[in-house]
Amino acid sequence: MKNTTKEIIESRGSWRRTNSCGALRSADAGKEVIMMGWVQSRRDHGGLIFIDLRDGEGITQIVFDPRESEEAYQKVHDLKNEYVIAIKGKVIPRLKGSENPNIPTGDIEVRARKLKILNTSEALPFNIDEKLEINDNLRLKYRYLDLRRPKMQKNLRLRHQICQEIRNYLSNKGFLEIETPFLTKSTPEGARDYIVPSRVNPGKFYALPQSPQLFKQLLMISGFDKYFQIVRCFRDEDLRADRAPEFTQLDMEMSFIDQEEIINLIEEMMVCLFEKLLGIKIATPFLKMDYPVALSRYGTDKPDLRFNMEIIDLTKIFSKTSFQVFQKVLSQQGKIGAMKVEENNQFTRKKLDDLNLFISAYGAEGLSFIKFKGENEIQSPLAKFLSSEEVEKIRLETKAQKGDIILILADQEEIVDEALGNLRLKLAKELNLIKKEKEYSFLWVTNFPLLKYNPEEKRYEAVHHPFTAPRDEDLKLLDNDPLKVRSKAYDLVLNGAEIGGGSIRIHNNHIQRKVFKLLGIDEEKAEQKFGFLLQALKYGAPPHGGIAFGLDRLVMILAGAPSIREVIAFPKTQKAVCLLTGAPSEVDPEQLKELHIKLDLPQ
Amino acid sequence: MKNTTKEIIESRGSWRRTNSCGALRSADAGKEVIMMGWVQSRRDHGGLIFIDLRDGEGITQIVFDPRESEEAYQKVHDLKNEYVIAIKGKVIPRLKGSENPNIPTGDIEVRARKLKILNTSEALPFNIDEKLEINDNLRLKYRYLDLRRPKMQKNLRLRHQICQEIRNYLSNKGFLEIETPFLTKSTPEGARDYIVPSRVNPGKFYALPQSPQLFKQLLMISGFDKYFQIVRCFRDEDLRADRAPEFTQLDMEMSFIDQEEIINLIEEMMVCLFEKLLGIKIATPFLKMDYPVALSRYGTDKPDLRFNMEIIDLTKIFSKTSFQVFQKVLSQQGKIGAMKVEENNQFTRKKLDDLNLFISAYGAEGLSFIKFKGENEIQSPLAKFLSSEEVEKIRLETKAQKGDIILILADQEEIVDEALGNLRLKLAKELNLIKKEKEYSFLWVTNFPLLKYNPEEKRYEAVHHPFTAPRDEDLKLLDNDPLKVRSKAYDLVLNGAEIGGGSIRIHNNHIQRKVFKLLGIDEEKAEQKFGFLLQALKYGAPPHGGIAFGLDRLVMILAGAPSIREVIAFPKTQKAVCLLTGAPSEVDPEQLKELHIKLDLPQ
């Protein structure tokens, strides 16, 4: 009875699929069909054998009855899970009571007359089953099996649909998708470049693009006034969760537009995406928030507005405090920030210790609390240091009710903001403040500063990138007070994740040179790295601006997936390794020689 | 009167473009418009100044009249070519007799009331003018200016449209576009890989994909049964004309299909593309030709069928020849090939010398000719060596008429075929045999051999690639007579250029191992390079196949462009250099150190 694998495999011959495994409904009863797919499971039942046949579009129950075909019935005994088969048969309604309401094809089954085994399968390292938790590394190593799972099929299908919708939306608006080079020159975007040695130009290297920033600006100067591209970008970073060495960007640029027009266009596109793909109507205009407000109220430039619990500034209240710890902070222009945790009766000393441990990662310490227990009753380690007037002012400022806890942190402003901002997110998760899974909270963050000061390198850095335009009314500050200059940058935040960022760009050669200079890029270096841009700006560069979206993250959010790895077909690990293929790997010394490089390994 | 550049530039302020420079028609007369673009030219005429205003979509004539606005009229004197301006004004019909039928907006002009100068321009290194021939290197260095030319605008617009049509066509057929990695493992496709050193994995390298071949096969094993991707690929080749280090591929793969179904799908897609983009109906089914036939009749696997002039095999006619040169060739199993040049009275001795010089590049020599001058009259250097019977047989076999020239070449079969095949193309150009510019001649070449023998390396090579399936009926020859095995590969040829190639793949682990072995890839190496594929083939791999198109070439043909550089926004030179940015370039030694490599330059 047992055949060898070699003997068992048949050719598909002249058989042609009539439909996928997700297609048949009761209206199809009576049809003759040919179906192909994978054996999801086999069940023997009172002389009949049932196969769940699976392909990318669904599952159909196939029944083998010896009275229909003894030959097929015998052959079906050879089948194991994940064998690839083709069957010929007739669609019939399932018996009353044996329908399966959990699958779209659950009202019918196919009575098989013929069976071909197109390929066998060894036992899988894990089951193709939604319910099981599978080790992440195993999933990545056998990604081709992991991708058979319906959830992964759905995610990649959604990704395709999102890209199609974006392309159609932008094409209809007159945008052209224009491809830019991958083997190009370094354009510093704050991360390391991946570089590629050139064989025919010894000693020289290409850089893989961190974004097509300069090329899209050149396209504007070329007179293409609406550009987009869905394009792979590369950053050689030390990887964190949800960062990948290669990622996909929706990149856009337009001429003769301003921030408002870009914002309107993007909002309309988001409305269209959410409507078409999720059937959800999202409201416009999106909220807008100035960068300094986002920092001081949410401790981050990407606030999650699905819940409140803002950072409350108590600095003024304590201006005349007798509490020495606060006095000291205030004397150093520090901030006393607070956050209200509503009706949290579970708050304990141990919890406070946990939170203090958590914020220590942000350089903060000494988080304290005040619990409003009743009309004039508080519980707080600070109780003895606070005047009743101060307590009352805190109650008013925070609108604290009975049972609420006020967390208080005093330190340098940046530290308070960052620590409380992160604490806010942590507590929101723990306290389940984000009620609805499917809530989408968009926010534009605007009015970023153009520059920040890097005290270690003693120079200014671009908050956005070196090509972002200063606001016209702040131009005069460039010479005297550069940190005060605001830029024409804008970020789009969704549920606390930055999904897009952009700006109006500098289109004036003189201003671009001035900004380079402020960034510590001297004339010579500017010429060497960006000479082509500076030159192009001399030949009639139009006013222009754009935006770029992290497509992986956008798809992740639309798919409701917990990680970008769930929406990328072949992702890498955090060590930038592909567990499936083993990339990166060693190469032949001959190959290195041809490329004019040799290894220089750490001893 | 003269301002400095800095002073002259204005902000767009609240002005919003109402339309492009290609949009207005006589029906728009009376409309108030705001337009922005580049000054193409300025003409002073009897107290009026005319500006041709250009953007990516066209040109509109703007007229400045001092009676309308003295201020704008004065300001317009500052304008030079390629200044970026915004104007506010009213659309008016042009005076009778002054319409310009050469441009779509030629019936109207815009009478400007206000003018803003958005940017200035230095004098350009070349004119934005279709008619001028510009040095190629200058075009590439100032690509952003070159791209302003209407022809380049049109080419990139067409490229976008082609990609959109392809994506919509395939999406409607149920295909998913799935992105595959760029930082991946070497998959030899006959060319060198570009490699990328890994910083976090010292001594290891990624390879940039020559094609997504293995990933798309893995996607089939994942159960995605219709995949496509428009994707950048990379080959570090010594560059020839119309090859680029990075190129764009339309990549496709399907499960449960055969060659015929793929061919039908592609033909339908081509019909759709030509219809929608060029308004041309192309006939299907396309011609099909076996590989050996293509070689023996056209001397190439990509015959251009827009003209005849096939290679005619005269070997048999000379089986009993007394001509020693032919005798010798025949004794070595050589071929005597001929080509008929119709009514060529210009054929001279000098011409024959030219052609002999030409074919020497293919290792051939001794091209001769017979001119049929009349009923029994020939002119030929061979005349005294040929019997009248042989001459008559040649006349019959070649259907030579009075005035026709028969070119004759005797040598090894491969040499005769290649030399005459290339001669055929050369003569077609010289004799202007390809009559219609817009003729499209499609051809499928099929039945390629699976393997060829490389006498230098003493091993078999894959004619297509190592993953192409042998034909079922030839499987038994794999062990005994591998060169006889035909493959399930197919190429699509358009006007003598290979625009696509594909195959049904091996989906059986045992056959894949056997083919690797024939190709001299031993078990260990197969495991090391392709272990993940061999493993995947064990877990229920479906029968599958696909095809890939060179998108650059396809767009080039549809655009009627002479080179792929005309349809790529930022192409490189044949030395793989980007003249615009200067890539590749030297990198910081610190950067190399971080990547664990150092230079190893030729002394």
Side-chain angles (χ1 to χ4, degrees):
Chain A
M1 190 69 212
K2 279 272 165 267
N3 292 307
T4 70
T5 296
K6 275 187 186 175
E7 285 165 351
I8 218 174
I9 295 179
E10 294 163 279
S11 155
R12 193 181 55 126
S14 62
W15 288 24
R16 299 274 177 280
R17 272 211 289 186
T18 56
N19 53 271
S20 78
C21 296
L24 298 174
R25 300 289 182 273
S26 48
D28 297 303
K31 277 189 189 159
E32 292 289 335
V33 294
I34 296 178
M35 294 169 69
M36 302 182 194
W38 285 261
V39 174
Q40 168 91 354
S41 64
R42 191 183 83 183
R43 297 180 305 282
D44 295 29
H45 268 313
L48 301 177
I49 300 178
F50 295 90
I51 294 283
D52 276 349
L53 188 66
R54 189 197 68 239
D55 66 13
E57 306 196 8
I59 288 178
T60 300
Q61 178 166 293
I62 314 293
V63 53
F64 292 88
D65 182 337
R67 291 164 299 176
E68 181 75 36
S69 163
E70 180 63 31
E71 191 198 341
Y73 183 76
Q74 285 309 325
K75 220 160 145 188
V76 85
H77 285 92
D78 290 335
L79 298 185
K80 293 181 187 152
N81 282 359
E82 301 306 313
Y83 273 34
V84 185
I85 62 170
I87 64 103
K88 217 177 222 182
K90 186 191 263 188
V91 185
I92 55 172
R94 290 205 202 178
L95 288 178
K96 282 276 172 245
S98 68
E99 297 96 341
N100 180 353
N102 298 321
I103 56 173
T105 63
D107 287 339
I108 56 92
E109 59 194 13
V110 174
R111 205 174 156 84
R113 225 170 38 250
K114 285 191 177 166
L115 167 66
K116 286 191 182 194
I117 299 176
L118 303 181
N119 213 345
T120 59
S121 175
E122 292 188 1
L124 263 46
F126 52 81
N127 267 338
I128 310 299
D129 190 323
E130 285 302 301
K131 289 144 214 153
L132 295 175
E133 275 286 331
I134 307 157
N135 172 287
D136 268 348
N137 286 353
L138 209 57
R139 287 183 60 195
L140 292 179
K141 176 164 186 201
Y142 297 97
R143 188 61 161 182
Y144 46 89
L145 300 178
D146 188 39
L147 289 176
R148 285 185 193 165
R149 299 192 302 150
K151 195 188 285 173
M152 295 305 295
Q153 293 270 333
K154 209 177 121 209
N155 285 353
L156 291 190
R157 189 173 297 269
L158 179 69
R159 185 178 180 120
H160 164 75
Q161 289 164 338
I162 290 170
C163 291
Q164 272 295 107
E165 289 298 339
I166 289 173
R167 286 193 161 101
N168 287 333
Y169 174 83
L170 292 175
S171 296
N172 290 337
K173 293 275 177 193
F175 282 76
L176 301 187
E177 184 160 17
I178 300 177
E179 296 177 57
T180 52
F182 277 69
L183 296 175
T184 181
K185 192 165 167 173
S186 174
T187 60
E189 300 262 338
R192 289 182 200 87
D193 286 317
Y194 280 104
I195 61 172
V196 183
S198 167
R199 180 177 55 86
V200 292
N201 302 280
K204 297 192 172 179
F205 295 79
Y206 304 98
L208 297 178
Q210 294 186 35
S211 96
Q213 182 61 34
L214 294 184
F215 285 108
K216 68 178 177 175
Q217 292 193 236
L218 291 173
L219 285 172
M220 296 304 108
I221 298 173
S222 304
F224 291 99
D225 48 27
K226 290 175 183 172
Y227 146 92
F228 82 102
Q229 194 182 184
I230 295 180
V231 62
R232 202 70 53 83
C233 300
F234 305 85
R235 292 189 189 180
D236 183 10
E237 293 177 305
D238 292 314
L239 300 167
R240 293 174 279 155
D242 270 11
R243 290 272 176 150
E246 51 178 310
F247 57 97
T248 303
Q249 184 161 305
L250 164 60
D251 196 46
M252 298 168 60
E253 197 80 3
M254 287 150 274
S255 290
F256 305 116
I257 41 82
D258 61 18
Q259 174 174 315
E260 189 192 334
E261 287 165 282
I262 293 180
I263 282 180
N264 290 343
L265 178 90
I266 297 304
E267 291 189 357
E268 196 187 308
M269 183 176 83
M270 288 295 163
V271 167
C272 167
L273 280 183
F274 276 75
E275 170 99 53
K276 289 207 175 167
L277 297 167
L278 300 183
I280 289 176
K281 278 193 198 294
I282 53 174
T284 56
F286 298 163
L287 288 173
K288 289 190 189 68
M289 189 180 288
D290 279 358
Y291 173 82
V293 175
L295 280 196
S296 67
R297 287 209 203 142
Y298 302 94
T300 173
D301 58 359
K302 39 181 193 287
D304 189 339
L305 299 189
R306 286 176 298 174
F307 59 98
N308 296 317
M309 205 160 70
E310 292 179 15
I311 301 170
I312 303 158
D313 190 346
L314 303 183
T315 312
K316 276 191 189 151
I317 291 175
F318 290 103
S319 57
K320 290 173 187 158
T321 183
S322 57
F323 181 33
Q324 286 195 343
V325 175
F326 285 6
Q327 270 179 0
K328 192 177 167 206
V329 165
L330 292 177
S331 73
Q332 293 164 344
Q333 279 75 50
K335 173 172 179 174
I336 298 166
M339 250 170 13
K340 180 173 68 175
V341 186
E342 291 180 5
E343 278 190 82
N344 198 294
N345 296 313
Q346 278 75 54
F347 205 83
T348 62
R349 182 77 218 178
K350 172 156 186 331
K351 182 73 200 168
L352 187 69
D353 291 344
D354 283 353
L355 299 187
N356 262 306
L357 183 65
F358 175 79
I359 63 169
S360 67
Y362 305 98
E365 56 179 355
L367 183 75
S368 193
F369 72 93
I370 302 173
K371 178 164 186 176
F372 286 86
K373 298 184 79 168
E375 199 57 33
N376 284 309
E377 194 191 354
I378 63 164
Q379 174 196 339
S380 170
L382 303 178
K384 57 183 174 226
F385 304 111
L386 303 179
S387 68
S388 59
E389 193 188 341
E390 282 166 344
V391 171
E392 180 56 15
K393 279 187 180 165
I394 294 171
R395 197 183 60 76
L396 286 170
E397 188 68 27
T398 61
K399 302 192 181 69
Q401 303 289 319
K402 187 179 161 187
D404 292 351
I405 307 266
I406 306 298
L407 297 172
I408 299 187
L409 183 66
D411 210 317
Q412 294 170 41
E413 184 170 2
E414 296 78 26
I415 291 178
V416 169
D417 288 345
E418 193 186 2
L420 289 183
N422 282 288
L423 198 55
R424 178 176 176 269
L425 297 176
K426 177 186 163 72
L427 289 171
K429 239 181 247 165
E430 288 180 6
L431 303 173
N432 203 22
L433 297 183
I434 303 164
K435 298 294 182 201
K436 283 179 65 187
E437 267 302 306
K438 293 276 171 186
E439 197 177 341
Y440 299 98
S441 167
F442 285 94
L443 171 72
W444 289 104
V445 178
T446 56
N447 279 320
F448 286 79
L450 185 71
L451 304 166
K452 65 186 169 202
Y453 190 71
N454 181 330
E456 281 149 39
E457 305 203 3
K458 291 193 178 136
R459 59 177 187 87
Y460 297 112
E461 283 176 353
V463 170
H464 191 238
H465 61 48
F467 316 106
T468 291
R471 288 179 62 127
D472 300 349
E473 61 270 40
D474 294 355
L475 273 175
K476 53 187 182 302
L477 297 171
L478 269 181
D479 292 317
N480 320 322
D481 199 354
L483 286 175
K484 283 262 170 64
V485 177
R486 291 163 302 166
S487 74
K488 297 181 179 172
Y490 33 83
D491 278 358
L492 183 57
V493 175
L494 172 54
N495 294 355
E498 184 206 318
I499 59 165
S503 64
I504 302 299
R505 326 296 183 187
I506 298 168
H507 69 285
N508 178 307
N509 177 295
H510 303 287
I511 298 175
Q512 185 65 72
R513 283 182 191 275
K514 188 172 278 188
V515 169
F516 281 155
K517 210 170 161 187
L518 279 168
L519 295 172
I521 303 171
D522 63 27
E523 287 276 328
E524 190 191 329
K525 197 162 183 188
E527 204 51 55
Q528 176 204 326
K529 299 202 97 153
F530 306 112
F532 61 102
L533 175 71
L534 290 170
Q535 185 138 40
L537 289 175
K538 287 183 193 167
Y539 293 120
H544 63 284
I547 191 165
F549 291 88
L551 188 79
D552 304 305
R553 183 152 304 136
L554 182 63
V555 176
M556 176 188 99
I557 292 173
L558 279 150
S563 150
I564 55 169
R565 296 216 185 118
E566 303 296 308
V567 298
I568 296 172
F570 299 103
K572 295 192 177 58
T573 65
Q574 294 215 13
K575 277 271 288 180
V577 165
C578 173
L579 293 178
L580 169 61
T581 62
S585 56
E586 275 138 26
V587 300
D588 200 344
E590 268 308 301
Q591 200 175 349
L592 297 184
K593 205 174 168 67
E594 266 199 321
L595 295 169
H596 320 290
I597 57 172
K598 53 187 173 188
L599 294 183
D600 180 24
L601 293 176
Q603 297 300 311
Chain B
M1 189 71 208
K2 280 271 166 274
N3 292 308
T4 69
T5 295
K6 273 187 186 174
E7 286 164 353
I8 216 174
I9 295 178
E10 293 163 279
S11 155
R12 195 181 54 128
S14 62
W15 289 24
R16 299 272 177 282
R17 274 212 287 189
T18 57
N19 52 271
S20 79
C21 296
L24 298 175
R25 301 289 182 273
S26 48
D28 297 304
K31 277 189 189 159
E32 291 290 335
V33 294
I34 297 177
M35 293 169 70
M36 302 183 194
W38 286 261
V39 174
Q40 168 91 355
S41 64
R42 191 184 83 183
R43 298 179 305 281
D44 293 30
H45 269 313
L48 300 178
I49 300 178
F50 295 90
I51 293 284
D52 276 349
L53 187 67
R54 188 196 69 236
D55 66 12
E57 305 197 8
I59 288 178
T60 300
Q61 179 166 292
I62 315 293
V63 54
F64 291 88
D65 183 336
R67 292 165 296 177
E68 182 75 36
S69 162
E70 181 62 30
E71 192 199 339
Y73 183 76
Q74 285 309 325
K75 218 159 145 189
V76 84
H77 285 92
D78 289 336
L79 298 185
K80 294 181 187 151
N81 281 0
E82 301 305 314
Y83 274 34
V84 185
I85 63 169
I87 64 103
K88 218 176 220 181
K90 186 192 262 189
V91 184
I92 55 172
R94 291 205 201 179
L95 289 177
K96 283 276 171 243
S98 68
E99 297 96 341
N100 180 354
N102 298 322
I103 56 172
T105 63
D107 288 337
I108 57 93
E109 58 194 15
V110 174
R111 204 176 158 83
R113 224 172 37 249
K114 286 193 178 165
L115 167 65
K116 287 191 182 195
I117 300 177
L118 303 181
N119 213 345
T120 58
S121 175
E122 293 188 2
L124 263 46
F126 52 80
N127 268 338
I128 310 298
D129 190 321
E130 286 302 302
K131 289 143 210 154
L132 295 175
E133 275 286 330
I134 307 158
N135 172 288
D136 268 350
N137 285 354
L138 209 57
R139 288 182 60 194
L140 291 180
K141 176 164 186 200
Y142 297 97
R143 188 60 161 183
Y144 46 90
L145 300 178
D146 188 41
L147 289 176
R148 284 187 193 164
R149 299 194 300 149
K151 195 188 283 174
M152 295 305 294
Q153 293 271 333
K154 209 177 123 209
N155 285 352
L156 292 191
R157 190 172 296 270
L158 178 69
R159 185 178 180 120
H160 164 75
Q161 288 164 336
I162 290 170
C163 290
Q164 273 294 107
E165 288 298 339
I166 289 172
R167 286 194 161 100
N168 287 333
Y169 175 83
L170 292 176
S171 296
N172 290 336
K173 293 275 179 193
F175 281 75
L176 301 187
E177 184 161 17
I178 301 177
E179 296 178 55
T180 52
F182 277 68
L183 296 174
T184 180
K185 193 166 169 173
S186 173
T187 61
E189 299 263 337
R192 289 182 200 86
D193 285 317
Y194 280 105
I195 61 171
V196 182
S198 167
R199 181 178 55 86
V200 290
N201 301 280
K204 297 190 173 180
F205 295 80
Y206 304 98
L208 297 178
Q210 295 187 34
S211 96
Q213 181 63 34
L214 294 184
F215 285 107
K216 68 178 176 173
Q217 292 192 235
L218 290 174
L219 285 172
M220 295 304 109
I221 298 173
S222 302
F224 291 98
D225 47 28
K226 289 175 182 171
Y227 147 93
F228 82 101
Q229 195 181 186
I230 295 182
V231 62
R232 202 70 53 83
C233 300
F234 304 85
R235 291 188 190 180
D236 183 10
E237 293 179 305
D238 292 316
L239 301 167
R240 293 174 280 156
D242 270 11
R243 289 274 175 147
E246 50 178 311
F247 57 96
T248 303
Q249 183 161 305
L250 165 60
D251 197 46
M252 299 169 59
E253 196 80 3
M254 287 150 273
S255 291
F256 305 117
I257 41 82
D258 61 18
Q259 174 174 315
E260 189 192 335
E261 288 165 282
I262 293 181
I263 283 180
N264 290 343
L265 178 88
I266 297 304
E267 292 188 357
E268 197 188 303
M269 184 175 82
M270 288 295 163
V271 166
C272 167
L273 280 182
F274 276 73
E275 170 100 51
K276 290 208 173 168
L277 297 167
L278 300 183
I280 289 175
K281 278 192 197 294
I282 53 175
T284 55
F286 299 162
L287 288 173
K288 288 189 189 69
M289 189 180 288
D290 280 358
Y291 173 82
V293 175
L295 279 197
S296 67
R297 288 209 201 142
Y298 302 93
T300 173
D301 58 1
K302 37 182 193 288
D304 188 340
L305 299 189
R306 286 176 298 174
F307 60 98
N308 294 317
M309 205 160 72
E310 291 179 16
I311 301 169
I312 303 157
D313 190 348
L314 303 182
T315 312
K316 274 192 189 149
I317 291 175
F318 290 103
S319 58
K320 289 171 187 159
T321 184
S322 58
F323 181 32
Q324 285 195 346
V325 175
F326 285 7
Q327 268 179 2
K328 193 178 166 204
V329 164
L330 293 178
S331 74
Q332 292 164 345
Q333 277 75 49
K335 173 172 177 173
I336 298 166
M339 246 168 19
K340 180 172 69 176
V341 186
E342 291 180 4
E343 277 191 82
N344 199 295
N345 297 314
Q346 277 74 52
F347 205 82
T348 62
R349 182 76 217 178
K350 172 157 188 329
K351 182 73 200 166
L352 187 67
D353 290 345
D354 283 353
L355 299 187
N356 262 306
L357 183 64
F358 175 79
I359 63 169
S360 68
Y362 306 98
E365 56 178 356
L367 183 74
S368 193
F369 73 91
I370 303 172
K371 178 163 183 175
F372 285 86
K373 299 185 77 168
E375 197 59 31
N376 283 309
E377 195 191 353
I378 64 165
Q379 174 196 339
S380 169
L382 303 178
K384 59 184 172 222
F385 305 111
L386 303 179
S387 68
S388 59
E389 193 189 341
E390 283 166 344
V391 170
E392 179 57 14
K393 278 187 181 164
I394 292 171
R395 197 183 60 75
L396 286 172
E397 187 68 25
T398 62
K399 302 194 181 69
Q401 303 288 318
K402 188 179 162 187
D404 291 352
I405 307 267
I406 306 298
L407 297 171
I408 298 188
L409 183 66
D411 210 317
Q412 294 171 40
E413 183 170 3
E414 295 78 26
I415 291 179
V416 168
D417 288 344
E418 194 186 1
L420 290 182
N422 282 289
L423 199 54
R424 179 177 175 268
L425 296 177
K426 176 185 163 73
L427 289 171
K429 240 180 245 167
E430 289 179 6
L431 304 173
N432 202 21
L433 296 183
I434 303 166
K435 298 295 181 200
K436 284 180 60 185
E437 266 302 306
K438 291 278 169 183
E439 198 177 341
Y440 298 97
S441 167
F442 285 95
L443 171 71
W444 289 104
V445 177
T446 56
N447 278 320
F448 286 78
L450 185 71
L451 304 167
K452 66 186 170 204
Y453 191 70
N454 182 330
E456 281 148 41
E457 305 204 5
K458 290 189 179 142
R459 60 178 186 85
Y460 297 112
E461 282 177 354
V463 169
H464 191 240
H465 61 47
F467 316 106
T468 291
R471 289 179 61 126
D472 300 349
E473 61 270 41
D474 294 355
L475 274 176
K476 54 188 181 304
L477 296 170
L478 270 181
D479 293 316
N480 319 323
D481 199 353
L483 286 175
K484 283 263 171 65
V485 176
R486 292 163 301 166
S487 75
K488 296 182 180 173
Y490 34 82
D491 278 358
L492 182 58
V493 174
L494 172 54
N495 295 355
E498 185 205 317
I499 59 165
S503 64
I504 302 299
R505 326 297 181 185
I506 298 168
H507 69 285
N508 177 306
N509 177 295
H510 303 288
I511 298 174
Q512 185 65 71
R513 283 181 190 275
K514 187 174 277 186
V515 169
F516 281 155
K517 210 170 162 187
L518 279 168
L519 295 172
I521 303 170
D522 63 28
E523 288 274 329
E524 192 191 327
K525 198 162 182 188
E527 205 51 56
Q528 177 205 326
K529 299 202 96 152
F530 306 113
F532 61 101
L533 174 71
L534 290 170
Q535 185 139 37
L537 290 175
K538 287 183 192 168
Y539 292 120
H544 63 284
I547 191 164
F549 291 87
L551 188 79
D552 304 304
R553 184 152 301 134
L554 183 63
V555 175
M556 175 188 100
I557 293 174
L558 279 151
S563 149
I564 55 168
R565 295 214 190 122
E566 303 296 309
V567 298
I568 296 173
F570 300 103
K572 295 191 176 58
T573 65
Q574 293 214 14
K575 275 272 287 183
V577 166
C578 172
L579 293 179
L580 169 62
T581 62
S585 56
E586 275 137 26
V587 300
D588 199 346
E590 267 310 300
Q591 200 174 351
L592 296 184
K593 206 174 166 69
E594 266 199 321
L595 295 170
H596 321 291
I597 58 172
K598 54 186 171 189
L599 294 182
D600 180 23
L601 294 175
Q603 297 300 310

